[in-house]
Amino acid sequence: MDEKRKPIIDMLKSKGEGEKTIGQMAFPDTCLQIKSLEKKLSFLTKGTFYAENNHLHFESFR
């Protein structure tokens, strides 16, 4: 039962439309695309990007 519930719970925890989590590090000049939104990273990055209201948002890990 937990195996069926986990994907649904993970989807409900999603912050917006499309969410990408960088768990290790993304290097500068990496291009990230969520839906029609694009972002070129300019520094080492670790965190979560998500699309909401036609904007890309970022939350870093602490």
Side-chain angles (χ1 to χ4, degrees):
M1 187 69 121
D2 273 345
E3 289 178 26
K4 290 182 180 180
R5 243 179 5 142
K6 185 172 176 7
I8 295 169
I9 290 171
D10 290 343
M11 182 181 65
L12 293 172
K13 288 181 184 177
S14 177
K15 293 178 180 64
E17 298 176 43
E19 180 179 319
K20 298 292 179 193
T21 299
I22 301 168
Q24 297 292 318
M25 283 292 196
F27 292 95
D29 295 330
T30 299
C31 290
L32 178 69
Q33 180 179 1
I34 300 175
K35 298 186 86 179
S36 62
L37 306 171
E38 290 186 13
K39 170 90 174 154
K40 185 174 182 180
L41 304 179
S42 57
F43 51 88
L44 281 174
T45 303
K46 180 179 179 180
T48 300
F49 289 87
Y50 61 96
E52 186 175 59
N53 298 327
N54 210 26
H55 293 330
L56 258 173
H57 300 275
F58 173 70
E59 291 183 0
S60 64
F61 294 149
R62 302 237 181 239

